Every structure is written in structure tokens, then in C-alpha cells.
């Protein structure tokens, strides 16, 4: 298929060099999408239908056979050999069961080792004499060791996951899922499905995946390209609001206030305060005639624009046209017949432009936020009745700042500037946005993401128990309201495919203290996993634990409180044990990754050594946030977990 595209001759099919360049780009992208993936089989399943799909199911009608794979594959004549997993005819591979066979006589799963077909497994779904059984191949695929970046799950998608993946484009979906339930994979595969089902529409409007940090995005970046989807953009929330250079930080209290949704009203007031009601009229001179728009009429025009509550910049652009229209009405009354060109000329008149500048001056969002954060009186006026005095003092900068460029903006400040920017000029909206680790966002960050999908839909992914910021959301209803997607359907995934039973049971001791209302994840893995709590007296013993786990197949993560990273770095260097940083791709030679607890979210390793749980808790501003950070760190292991500690364990784990 790739060679067919490479051999296309477009010499005589384009009208000009521009068309030729566009077509060549499309061909190049198609070639990239058809790239071979080493050790990735073309198909992983087969469906034998009792009757041809869509045909009359009368007695004697012949069935049909389909091979299911990651990509559509056709032969030299164009006849399909493998059906894309997203096609409607492939759906029974994920949904059919003994109770509801969906007209499937046989479902076959294929097993592979390093790309070679090594096994297959049959289920006769329509045969009442055959008992339902757990798929061994499915279990092996789920428990296969992980080396390298995140991979697709098209061979193992479960029915409850498939329902979310194939949900329509028009509605938004929120997925609450505990560790190892596959919520990130579900979100990425939902994007792949939507691009398959609504390709033209999303090609026009765009799609975006938002992750918590660069390490996480690097970890997931190969999933969609492996499914043939190359056009999906990836970003963090900080990337979206990068109007200024972020060089500063806030303490937790200030960040909570700046992230509060009430700041949106403070900013709205501050922006609108720049509008000044006119005190005198406008006189427009055209030739020998003078046309006067009195102050009371200007005031009416300004009042109407304010009442419409449209963007500040859009209203500013409309004001000269409205003034010009008032002049044209006078011209028509005097017997003239002005047209649109005259109205545009009047709108560009010097007197009109001067009036607009005085009434509705331009607003620079960054300068506006800078004034709010440095001018106590200006903030007090616009935060009156919204923020109390203590809250205002928390967000005011103690030192004066000369300019926007010299200011040490924090991440929360950048979000405020993004809000102000949207008040001035509408933010471009995409067709679909996936927001992962959404529980950690502040209300103002939710608003920033929501602006990117006002005319599109969203897939929101997260776990309330893993909220590790002081402003982490307490409920999805509240978060979705800030996002502007209050109508979104909330789904909960409770089957754990990644974390072993013993590990998730130990970590779940924290749930009553960090998220009392959540359902505990139930591991479906047959392998209970390796779990050990090991007292230590020196950092060298932590390194010993890593070396022991490296004797197994797969990746190993050493997770520790951020403050412990320098000491562990020295201990690893002393023994000559090589390691990677979070997000870096593991190799057969280097399978150990040293991970600060603050960056562990979303990552996974076959084996994990968790160093000093109490230090992880103490590294956060409050105990609840610290326990949530610990819960995240405890649930990164796929096959085994060793907890090492010299200090006593947190009492919640006792």
C-alpha cells in the first residue's frame, strides 16, 4: 500500500505549482501514516459472522469472515484483507459475549511474540454447549512487560472502555478512573475513533490532547501515530496560555486565589472599566457639510454595546461603524444616498477615530493583569465584593515592576492573562479536546481549556483521588461547570488492568483519607504481583532494591520525594548504575528511571521502588495533598512494588 502511494505520478494532474505542492504534502503524510512498525502485527483478531452483516438473516444465508487489526489493509486489487478496529463491523470483537453474541459464530484472538504469530484462541459465542471462559491471550497481553513509551490497547479494549471510545462527537464525556483502569488509553483511542468517524470535520476544526507535563506527553506521543493518526496536536495547559515568559512561582495560598473562578469577574470588571461614557458629541466633516452625532446618542450606542456583553475588542471594532451609521442616517434624511463605501470612509474619519480612542481605548491583557497585581487601589475597586482584603493582599506583588517583560510571571498569572485576552478577543475553538489528569486543574485553568472547545466537544480524564495540587477539584460536576461542559456524561472505570492486586489493595488504604466517596479499583489481573515493604538504613540499600528488580524483564522506576533525588543520584552514581529521567525512553541496556514524585503521575513501570513514603507526604503543602501524591506514587507499578523506608511509614498505611 505504501509503495502504491510512493509510485503515484502527479506530473499531469495539478493545475499549478501550488496545487502540486499541496498534493505532494498530502502524499508525504499518507506515506508516513503507512509506515511499518517493528514487532507490530497487522491483525490481532478474527470474526466469523453467522450471516453477512446487513444481509437478510434468513435460514441458509452465508456468513462472512473479517480479520481485525490496527489499520485497514487491502490487497493489490483493493479488496480488504484486514478491517480497521474502528469500523462498525469490528465492534462485536469488543462487545460480543455469550449472553449477546451479536451474530458472531466465532471470535479468534491471535497471540504474538516479537511480531511472530505464536498462538490463537477461539470462542464459539453462538454455541450454547461451550462455557464462557477468561481469555488467556487477553490476560497475557494485558500483563506483558512494558519497555519504552505507552502503546495502544486495540487488542485488549474491554466492553465498558469501548462504549466510551465510540461515544459520539457531539457530546462531551468525563471519565473517572482509578490507577490502571486505562483512562488515558481510552481517551487517546477515542480521539482515533472520532478521527475515523468524523475525519473531514475534525480536519477542519482540529483536535488537541492536553497532558499534565512534557514527560507525560512524551510518554504517550507514539500511541496515535501507531494507529495512523499524525495530525493530533499535544500540549500542556501552560503551553496554551504562554502569552508571557513564566519565570516565577506563587505560594500555595496565592495560587489558590489566582486560580479561583471569581478572578474571571474581577478581570471582566477591570477590562470594562476602560470604557468611558462620552461627554461631548462627534463632528464629522465631509466636503462642505458637517454632521454632528450628539453625546446622548453616542451614550446610547455605547450602552447598547455594553449590554450586548460581546468581546471588548469586537465592540471596539463595531463602535466606529455604529457612529458612522448614525451619520449616514442623517445624510439620508437630508436627501443624500450614501452607500457602504461612504459608511466605511466615515468610520475611518479622524474625528470618529479620536472619539473611539477616548471612549473605548485598546486594552493590553498583560498590562491589565500587571496593574491588578501591583496597584492595590485598582485591584480593590474591581475585586470589591468578590475578594476579601486578605485575599487581595495574597495576590498583590510586594515589589513594583517596571514592565511586562521584566515581571516574574507565575503559571497562575499566565492563566489570568489568557482570561483577559479572551475578554478582549475570542479564543479559537477546536473540534475536540482531550484533557488528561484533569483533577489537578484550577477553575481558571478549566476555563482556559474550555475556551479551546466552546464550539466542540471534550473528553475529560482523571481520578479525584490523584488530585495533587492545593486547588485540585473536589467533584467532576464542579470541574465540568468551569469547563463549560456541564452537560457531559460522567463514566466511571473501576476494573484495574495495570496495577497488581496486592499493590492496589495496599494503596487503597489511603482512599478513605483522600477521596472517601470513590469506589476502590478492583484488579482483574490473574498475577497478584510482587509486593514488599523493606526497612532500610542507608541509600545504598535502596539501590540494592533497584538492582534486584532489574533482574526481572521490563522497566524499573525509582520514585522518591523531590528533595530526596540528589541523595539518590549520588547513591546510583557510586554504584555505577545507569538511569534515565522521567519521560525518556527506556532501552534494553538502560531500564531504570529515577522519578521525582511530582512527575510520576501518568507514568508506569513494570517494577517500582518507592523510597520514603513519609518524605513524599511531607513534600507537599498539606497532608491531604501529600497523601494523594503518595497514592499516585504507590500505583505506578505494573508487576511489582518494593517500598523502602528508614523513617516510620505514614499512619494511614498502617
Amino acid at each position: 500500500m505504501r509503495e502504491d502511494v510512493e509510485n503515484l505520478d502527479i506530473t499531469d494532474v495539478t493545475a499549478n505549482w501550488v496545487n502540486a505542492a499541496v498534493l505532494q504534502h498530502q502524499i508525504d503524510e499518507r506515506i508516513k501514516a503507512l509506515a511499518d512498525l517493528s514487532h507490530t502485527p497487522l491483525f490481532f483478531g478474527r470474526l466469523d459472522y453467522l450471516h453477512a452483516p446487513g444481509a437478510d438473516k434468513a435460514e441458509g444465508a452465508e456468513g462472512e469472515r473479517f480479520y481485525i487489526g490496527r489499520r485497514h489493509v487491502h490487497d493489490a486489487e483493493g479488496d480488504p484483507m484486514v478491517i480497521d478496529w474502528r469500523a462498525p463491523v469490528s465492534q462485536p470483537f469488543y462487545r460480543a459475549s455469550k449472553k449477546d453474541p451479536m451474530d458472531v459464530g466465532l471470535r479468534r484472538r491471535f497471540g504474538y511474540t516479537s511480531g511472530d504469530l505464536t498462538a490463537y484462541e477461539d470462542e464459539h459465542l453462538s454455541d450454547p454447549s461451550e462455557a464462557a471462559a477468561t481469555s488467556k491471550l487477553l490476560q497475557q497481553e494485558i500483563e506483558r512487560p512494558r519497555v519504552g513509551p505507552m502503546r495502544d490497547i486495540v487488542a485488549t479494549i474491554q466492553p465498558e472502555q469501548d462504549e466510551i471510545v465510540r461515544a459520539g462527537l457531539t457530546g462531551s464525556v468525563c471519565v473517572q478512573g482509578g490507577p490502571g483502569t486505562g483512562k488515558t488509553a481510552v481517551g487517546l483511542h477515542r480521539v482515533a475513533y472520532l478521527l475515523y468517524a468524523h475525519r473531514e470535520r475534525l480536519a477542519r476544526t482540529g483536535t488537541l490532547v492536553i497532558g499534565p507535563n512534557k514527560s507525560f506527553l512524551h510518554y504517550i506521543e507514539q500511541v496515535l501515530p501507531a494507529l495512523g493518526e499524525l495530525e493530533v496536536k499535544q500540549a500542556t495547559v501552560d503551553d496554551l496560555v504562554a502569552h508571557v515568559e513564566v519565570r516565577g512561582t506563587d505560594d500555595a495560598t496565592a495560587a489558590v486565589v489566582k486560580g479561583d473562578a471569581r478572578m474571571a469577574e474581577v478581570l471582566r470588571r477591570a477590562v470594562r472599566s476602560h470604557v468611558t461614557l462620552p461627554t461631548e458629541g462627534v463632528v464629522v466633516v465631509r466636503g462642505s457639510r458637517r454632521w454632528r452625532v450628539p453625546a446622548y446618542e453616542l451614550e446610547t450606542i455605547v450602552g447598547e454595546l455594553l449590554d450586548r456583553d460581546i468581546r471588548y475588542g469586537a465592540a471596539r471594532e463595531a463602535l466606529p461603524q455604529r457612529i458612522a451609521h448614525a451619520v449616514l442616517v442623517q445624510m439620508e434624511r437630508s436627501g443624500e444616498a450614501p452607500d457602504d463605501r461612504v459608511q466605511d470612509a466615515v468610520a475611518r474619519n479622524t474625528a470618529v477615530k479620536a472619539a473611539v480612542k477616548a471612549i473605548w481605548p485598546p486594552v493590553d491583557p498583560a498590562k491589565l493583569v500587571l496593574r491588578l497585581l501591583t496597584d492595590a487601589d485598582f485591584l480593590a475597586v474591581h475585586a470589591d465584593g468578590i475578594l476579601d482584603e486578605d485575599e487581595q493582599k495574597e495576590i498583590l506583588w510586594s515589589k513594583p515592576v517596571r514592565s511586562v517583560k521584566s515581571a516574574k510571571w507565575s503559571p497562575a498569572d499566565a492563566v489570568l492573562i489568557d482570561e483577559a485576552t479572551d475578554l478582549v478577543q475570542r479564543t479559537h475553538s477546536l473540534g475536540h479536546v482531550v484533557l488528561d489528569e484533569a483533577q489537578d486543574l484550577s477553575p481558571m485553568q478549566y476555563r482556559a481549556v474550555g475556551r479551546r472547545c466552546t464550539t466542540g466537544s471534550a473528553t475529560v480524564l482523571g481520578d479525584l483521588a490523584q488530585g495533587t495540587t492545593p486547588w485540585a477539584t473536589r467533584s467532576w460536576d464542579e470541574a465540568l461547570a468551569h469547563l463549560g461542559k456541564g452537560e457531559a456524561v460522567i463514566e466511571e472505570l473501576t476494573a484495574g488492568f495495570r496495577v497488581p492486586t496486592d499493590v492496589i489493595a495496599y494503596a487503597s488504604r489511603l482512599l478513605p483519607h483522600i477521596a472517601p466517596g470513590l469506589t476502590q479499583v478492583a484488579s482483574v489481573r490473574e498475577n497478584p504481583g510482587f509486593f514488599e515493604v523493606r526497612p532500610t538504613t542507608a541509600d545504598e540499600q535502596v539501590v540494592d532494591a533497584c538492582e534486584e528488580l532489574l533482574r526481572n524483564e521490563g522497566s524499573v522506576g525509582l520514585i522518591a520525594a523531590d528533595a530526596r533525588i540528589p541523595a539518590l543520584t549520588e547513591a546510583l552514581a557510586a554504584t555505577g548504575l545507569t538511569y534515565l529521567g522521567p519521560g525518556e525512553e527506556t532501552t534494553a541496556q538502560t531500564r531504570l528511571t529515577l522519578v521525582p514524585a511530582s512527575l510520576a503521575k501518568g507514568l508506569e513501570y513494570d517494577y517500582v521502588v518507592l523510597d520514603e513514603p513519609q518524605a513524599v507526604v511531607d513534600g507537599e503543602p498539606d497532608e491531604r495533598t501529600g497523601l494523594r501524591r503518595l497514592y499516585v506514587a504507590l500505583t505506578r507499578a505494573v508487576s511489582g512494588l518494593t517500598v523502602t523506608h528508614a523513617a516510620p511509614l505514614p499512619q494511614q498505611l498502617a
Side-chain angles (χ1 to χ4, degrees):
M1 289 170 64
R2 189 173 64 254
E3 288 173 356
D4 286 346
V5 180
E6 289 172 340
N7 293 329
L8 287 174
D9 184 1
I10 62 171
T11 306
D12 299 322
V13 298
T14 54
N16 52 52
W17 70 269
V18 175
N19 289 344
V22 171
L23 183 55
Q24 187 60 53
H25 174 73
Q26 293 173 339
I27 289 173
D28 292 341
E29 291 298 300
R30 177 64 174 159
I31 292 170
K32 288 180 188 176
L34 289 171
D36 281 330
L37 297 174
S38 60
H39 306 311
T40 302
L42 288 177
F43 60 90
F44 52 81
R46 192 183 97 187
L47 290 176
D48 290 4
Y49 279 88
L50 296 176
H51 310 88
D56 184 9
K57 296 182 180 179
E59 190 175 345
E62 290 188 11
E64 199 164 351
R65 173 177 297 171
F66 299 95
Y67 286 88
I68 312 301
R70 288 165 175 75
R71 306 291 304 279
H72 168 83
V73 182
H74 60 245
D75 61 18
E77 283 70 44
D79 294 325
M81 300 175 67
V82 179
I83 305 299
D84 194 299
W85 66 276
R86 298 168 286 188
V89 76
S90 302
Q91 188 172 344
F93 184 79
Y94 303 106
R95 301 273 188 97
S97 64
K98 296 291 289 186
K99 290 183 178 180
D100 181 15
M102 302 177 72
D103 200 43
V104 173
L106 179 142
R107 172 169 57 199
R108 173 170 288 180
R109 299 181 191 273
F110 296 96
Y112 293 85
T113 302
S114 299
D116 294 329
L117 177 64
T118 54
Y120 68 88
E121 184 180 75
D122 288 347
E123 298 172 86
H124 298 87
L125 298 176
S126 299
D127 184 353
S129 65
E130 183 179 291
T134 303
S135 168
K136 297 293 183 183
L137 285 179
L138 185 62
Q139 200 72 34
Q140 290 171 11
E141 176 65 22
I142 289 173
E143 298 183 8
R144 184 156 57 93
R146 286 154 167 74
V147 175
M150 184 179 181
R151 59 176 183 261
D152 67 77
I153 61 164
V154 290
T156 62
I157 293 174
Q158 299 299 290
E160 65 270 22
Q161 295 174 325
D162 191 63
E163 288 183 18
I164 298 170
V165 167
R166 296 177 193 265
L169 177 62
T170 54
S172 294
V173 178
C174 175
V175 182
Q176 158 64 40
T181 54
K183 56 186 178 293
T184 296
V186 165
L188 295 174
H189 287 69
R190 175 159 159 71
V191 171
Y193 172 77
L194 292 175
L195 287 167
Y196 176 88
H198 308 279
R199 189 165 301 280
E200 289 188 7
R201 178 175 172 182
L202 289 178
R204 294 194 308 271
T205 56
T207 51
L208 175 67
V209 174
I210 302 173
N213 51 58
K214 296 291 187 184
S215 297
F216 178 83
L217 292 177
H218 181 68
Y219 177 63
I220 68 170
E221 66 183 355
Q222 294 304 318
V223 175
L224 289 169
L227 300 174
E229 303 300 345
L230 307 175
E231 299 301 318
V232 180
K233 300 291 187 292
Q234 296 183 350
T236 64
V237 174
D238 290 343
D239 293 333
L240 299 182
V241 300
H243 304 285
V244 292
E245 183 183 357
V246 173
R247 296 184 293 132
T249 57
D250 289 310
D251 62 38
T253 307
V256 168
V257 177
K258 290 179 181 180
D260 195 297
R262 293 174 296 163
M263 288 299 300
E265 177 59 22
V266 175
L267 289 165
R268 193 186 74 85
R269 288 183 182 180
V271 169
R272 289 167 68 95
S273 71
H274 289 74
V275 178
T276 305
L277 292 178
T279 56
E280 55 186 42
V282 175
V283 178
V284 177
V285 178
R286 283 187 60 82
S288 61
R289 303 292 301 271
R290 295 163 61 88
W291 308 98
R292 179 179 176 81
V293 181
Y296 72 85
E297 191 171 350
L298 287 176
E299 188 173 334
T300 300
I301 293 172
V302 172
E304 288 174 351
L305 288 173
L306 287 172
D307 290 341
R308 287 176 62 190
D309 203 25
I310 59 177
R311 296 295 192 281
Y312 184 92
R316 188 174 188 275
E317 292 173 1
L319 180 58
Q321 291 292 335
R322 294 289 298 273
I323 296 173
H325 176 73
V327 172
L328 259 66
V329 169
Q330 294 182 34
M331 289 181 175
E332 289 169 349
R333 286 174 183 163
S334 67
E336 295 189 21
D339 56 17
D340 290 345
R341 288 175 297 177
V342 175
Q343 179 167 334
D344 289 340
V346 173
R348 295 192 301 270
N349 181 273
T350 303
V352 173
K353 289 166 71 174
V356 169
K357 186 176 182 180
I359 297 169
W360 214 292
V363 169
D364 182 298
K367 289 181 179 178
L368 175 77
V369 173
L370 185 63
R371 187 179 177 191
L372 275 173
L373 298 178
T374 56
D375 186 335
D377 294 336
F378 187 67
L379 176 62
V381 168
H382 301 300
D384 182 41
I386 301 176
L387 304 179
D388 61 34
E389 289 186 12
D390 289 339
E391 289 173 322
Q392 292 178 36
K393 289 178 182 176
E394 281 293 341
I395 65 174
L396 276 170
W397 292 356
S398 56
K399 297 180 180 179
V401 178
R402 288 185 299 176
S403 67
V404 168
K405 286 188 176 181
S406 64
K408 289 188 176 181
W409 298 104
S410 71
D413 297 333
V415 177
L416 295 179
I417 294 172
D418 189 70
E419 179 83 24
T421 301
D422 184 71
L423 288 167
V424 174
Q425 205 72 40
R426 183 182 296 277
T427 304
H428 174 68
S429 175
L430 299 164
H432 191 77
V433 169
V434 175
L435 175 61
D436 205 351
E437 300 295 351
Q439 74 280 347
D440 275 340
L441 270 61
S442 70
M444 292 299 286
Q445 287 176 316
Y446 282 122
R447 290 175 61 88
V449 174
R451 286 192 282 277
R452 271 75 184 178
C453 55
T454 50
T455 59
S457 54
T459 300
V460 181
L461 312 166
D463 179 12
L464 296 177
Q466 295 187 59
T468 52
T469 55
W471 49 83
T473 188
R474 296 180 180 271
S475 79
W476 288 122
D477 287 333
E478 178 185 324
L480 292 169
H482 293 310
L483 194 68
K485 302 296 180 185
E487 79 293 346
V489 176
I490 301 176
E491 304 280 359
E492 187 170 11
L493 297 175
T494 58
F497 302 101
R498 173 169 59 77
V499 186
T501 303
D502 291 350
V503 174
I504 195 65
Y506 185 71
S508 294
R509 295 181 185 183
L510 299 175
L511 279 181
H513 307 280
I514 59 176
L518 287 188
T519 305
Q520 180 177 329
V521 172
S523 178
V524 299
R525 297 168 66 98
E526 290 186 349
N527 179 4
F530 168 79
F531 174 66
E532 178 188 16
V533 178
R534 181 185 297 184
T536 60
T537 56
D539 293 340
E540 289 74 17
Q541 292 172 296
V542 179
V543 177
D544 291 342
C546 294
E547 290 179 323
E548 290 174 22
L549 293 179
L550 283 168
R551 293 171 193 154
N552 301 306
E553 183 184 2
S555 57
V556 176
L558 171 54
I559 303 177
D562 292 32
R564 289 273 298 147
I565 295 298
L568 292 175
T569 299
E570 288 184 12
L572 289 168
T575 59
L577 195 58
T578 59
Y579 62 93
L580 303 166
E584 295 180 4
E585 189 170 332
T586 54
T587 65
Q589 292 74 35
T590 307
R591 295 182 289 118
L592 175 65
T593 305
L594 178 59
V595 187
S598 61
L599 297 180
K601 189 170 296 181
L603 305 178
E604 59 184 39
Y605 303 92
D606 285 292
Y607 296 90
V608 166
V609 175
L610 175 59
D611 170 74
E612 294 295 354
Q614 187 61 54
V616 174
V617 177
D618 294 341
E620 300 299 326
D622 59 84
E623 185 182 60
R624 182 168 175 267
T625 304
L627 290 174
R628 287 182 165 188
R629 181 77 72 190
L630 178 58
Y631 181 74
V632 171
L634 285 167
T635 53
R636 299 304 94 199
V638 174
S639 298
L641 170 67
T642 297
V643 178
T644 60
H645 68 100
L649 292 171
Q651 61 179 5
Q652 293 85 354
L653 288 177

